Amino acid sequence: MKTSQITLFNGLCFFKAVLKQFGGGFGDLENIESDDTELQRHQNLEKLYISTRAAKRFQREIVRGVDGYVVTGTKLVQIGTKLSEDSRKYGAENTCTSGSVLSEVALSFSRARVQIEKEYKNLLTVLGTQVAEPLRAMVVGSPLEDARQLAQRYDRVRQEVEAQVVEVSRRQVRMREPNFSSDNMTKLEAAETKLDELKSNMTTLGKEAGAAMAAVEGQQQRLTLQRLVSMVAAERTYHQHVLLILDELREEMLSERQSFEASPISAADDTIPPTSYKKLENLFASQTYNGLTDGMGYFLGEVMHSYEAESDVELTLAIGDYVVVRKVTNNGWAEGECKGRAGWFPLGYVERRERVLASKVAEVF
């Protein structure tokens, strides 16, 4: 037989001997069954210890994740609130000559953002009070710590029992020696009495620790599952409410956009102004406007919407002015002269006039 096999065999024999002595007798089947029960209790307690430790770690990670989510979410709420306030200010304080469509949309957007940030704050509150706080209380609470201390005390007593089994076995071997005295017998009886006491304490502690650890494990499982369900429910409610808000806002914005696009000056607003006068002079110039053509290609137009020039090559127009339109390009811009100044302007801002008072014609030049 190999050395490793001999060592293993000796170890098994010693373990069986310890189990027999652990039960208080030699070869008694009932005692051996009792030892098996104690061994099973010990193994189950180890599994409970590992399980509750893993659950505690998982709970702690959930708490950390929620805390980080709340901190980041609070900053997002502040940013969203600032955006809402900026939109509100623009909508309340600004209008343009083409109408108040953008102002109305800005106000609608501001109101929607306020509602969204309110829903987000509600979500953060739920995550903090209904998820993080209960789990944090359990992580740092006393039930788990008390159960773990019981398990640790049981483990220490079990180690004392194992040591005492070895001590009793050693004294029983010396009992067979010729010079065994009554004093040695007294010591053996004292060792056996101590072993019985330790075994009794170990059994009691093992039952208490097992029950406490099992109770904590069950509570961990239930509470963690409940909090995860609460987290999902809160987020689901948040997204449902936000979706309703966004759907309503989208309908409002689409309605305003349709009204804006239907206005007579929308085509002019969508055009891109020329970057330079020389570049525009090379564009194709049409001498037809609304299907009408005159002999010189020029015509008079009345300004229906005011226009503020944004560069030196553009022409500022005021409502009621008359302008000589000299060139029309494919991109919706026209070049002309008004009050002695020439430049480019959106063609949609003027309407052609066939008859104009002489005094108005004089004002053009």
Side-chain angles (χ1 to χ4, degrees), residues 163-294:
Q164 193 63 21
V165 166
V166 174
E167 175 65 17
V168 171
S169 299
R170 184 178 63 82
R171 292 189 176 278
Q172 287 177 340
V173 170
R174 292 184 61 184
M175 209 175 115
R176 301 184 182 92
E177 297 177 356
N179 58 350
F180 189 78
S181 62
S182 59
D183 183 54
N184 290 332
M185 178 59 74
T186 302
K187 292 181 179 179
L188 174 59
E189 292 174 352
E192 290 176 339
T193 300
K194 182 178 180 181
L195 176 59
D196 291 338
E197 293 175 354
L198 288 173
K199 283 169 53 182
S200 177
N201 291 337
M202 181 187 67
T203 301
T204 302
L205 282 174
K207 292 179 180 180
E208 292 179 357
M213 293 293 284
V216 169
E217 182 191 49
Q219 186 181 7
Q220 283 180 329
Q221 298 292 311
R222 288 190 299 272
L223 180 63
T224 306
L225 178 58
Q226 291 170 356
R227 296 311 96 198
L228 287 176
V229 171
S230 298
M231 182 188 299
V232 172
E235 290 193 277
R236 182 173 179 272
T237 301
Y238 162 73
H239 289 295
Q240 287 177 333
H241 290 177
V242 169
L243 181 59
L244 292 175
I245 295 171
L246 292 177
D247 284 344
E248 183 178 349
L249 174 62
R250 180 175 177 272
E251 292 299 324
E252 292 181 10
M253 296 178 75
L254 289 177
S255 176
E256 293 291 346
R257 189 178 72 175
Q258 290 174 357
S259 300
F260 179 70
E261 290 176 346
S263 64
I265 62 171
S266 60
D269 289 342
D270 292 338
T271 58
I272 301 176
T275 55
S276 67
Y277 185 84
K278 290 184 179 180
K279 181 177 179 181
L280 282 175
E281 281 195 324
N282 294 326
L283 295 174
F284 171 77
S286 172
Q287 295 185 3
T288 301
Y289 178 64
N290 290 339
L292 300 176
T293 306
D294 58 18

Side-chain angles (χ1 to χ4, degrees), residues 8-273:
L8 178 59
F9 177 76
N10 292 336
L12 290 174
C13 291
F14 177 75
F15 180 69
K16 290 180 179 179
V18 170
L19 284 179
K20 292 178 180 179
Q21 182 62 34
F22 190 55
F26 295 92
D28 190 287
L29 181 60
E30 183 180 353
N31 290 328
I32 293 177
E33 290 176 352
S34 176
D35 295 336
D36 290 339
T37 302
E38 192 62 44
L39 180 60
Q40 185 177 3
R41 180 183 294 116
H42 174 69
Q43 293 173 344
N44 184 56
L45 194 56
E46 285 184 334
K47 292 179 181 179
L48 285 170
Y49 195 91
I50 294 172
S51 173
T52 54
R53 182 177 58 188
K56 177 181 179 180
R57 187 174 301 161
F58 180 46
Q59 290 175 331
R60 185 185 295 115
E61 292 304 321
I62 294 176
V63 171
R64 289 175 179 173
V66 171
D67 286 344
Y69 191 88
V70 171
V71 171
T72 303
T74 302
K75 294 181 180 179
L76 291 177
V77 168
Q78 294 174 353
I79 295 172
T81 302
K82 177 64 166 57
L83 177 59
S84 173
E85 180 61 22
D86 291 341
S87 300
R88 187 200 64 78
K89 288 181 62 178
Y90 177 84
E93 300 174 4
N94 293 275
T95 58
C96 63
T97 57
S98 59
S100 60
V101 174
L102 183 57
S103 298
E104 294 296 332
V105 169
L107 290 174
S108 297
F109 179 78
S110 174
R111 289 191 294 268
R113 287 302 323 177
V114 169
Q115 293 177 340
I116 291 174
E117 303 314 325
K118 181 180 179 180
E119 294 294 337
Y120 199 46
K121 286 193 287 187
N122 291 340
L123 171 62
L124 297 179
T125 301
V126 171
L127 293 181
T129 59
Q130 298 185 19
V131 178
E133 289 305 322
L135 292 177
R136 184 182 290 110
M138 188 166 193
V139 168
V140 301
S142 58
L144 176 59
E145 189 61 29
D146 292 343
R148 294 177 70 173
Q149 288 179 0
L150 276 175
Q152 292 167 359
R153 285 174 55 192
Y154 165 79
D155 191 59
R156 288 194 297 267
V157 173
R158 192 171 189 275
Q159 292 175 6
E160 293 179 12
V161 168
E162 293 173 354
Q164 193 63 21
V165 166
V166 174
E167 175 65 17
V168 171
S169 299
R170 184 178 63 82
R171 292 189 176 278
Q172 287 177 340
V173 170
R174 292 184 61 184
M175 209 175 115
R176 301 184 182 92
E177 297 177 356
N179 58 350
F180 189 78
S181 62
S182 59
D183 183 54
N184 290 332
M185 178 59 74
T186 302
K187 292 181 179 179
L188 174 59
E189 292 174 352
E192 290 176 339
T193 300
K194 182 178 180 181
L195 176 59
D196 291 338
E197 293 175 354
L198 288 173
K199 283 169 53 182
S200 177
N201 291 337
M202 181 187 67
T203 301
T204 302
L205 282 174
K207 292 179 180 180
E208 292 179 357
M213 293 293 284
V216 169
E217 182 191 49
Q219 186 181 7
Q220 283 180 329
Q221 298 292 311
R222 288 190 299 272
L223 180 63
T224 306
L225 178 58
Q226 291 170 356
R227 296 311 96 198
L228 287 176
V229 171
S230 298
M231 182 188 299
V232 172
E235 290 193 277
R236 182 173 179 272
T237 301
Y238 162 73
H239 289 295
Q240 287 177 333
H241 290 177
V242 169
L243 181 59
L244 292 175
I245 295 171
L246 292 177
D247 284 344
E248 183 178 349
L249 174 62
R250 180 175 177 272
E251 292 299 324
E252 292 181 10
M253 296 178 75
L254 289 177
S255 176
E256 293 291 346
R257 189 178 72 175
Q258 290 174 357
S259 300
F260 179 70
E261 290 176 346
S263 64
I265 62 171
S266 60
D269 289 342
D270 292 338
T271 58
I272 301 176

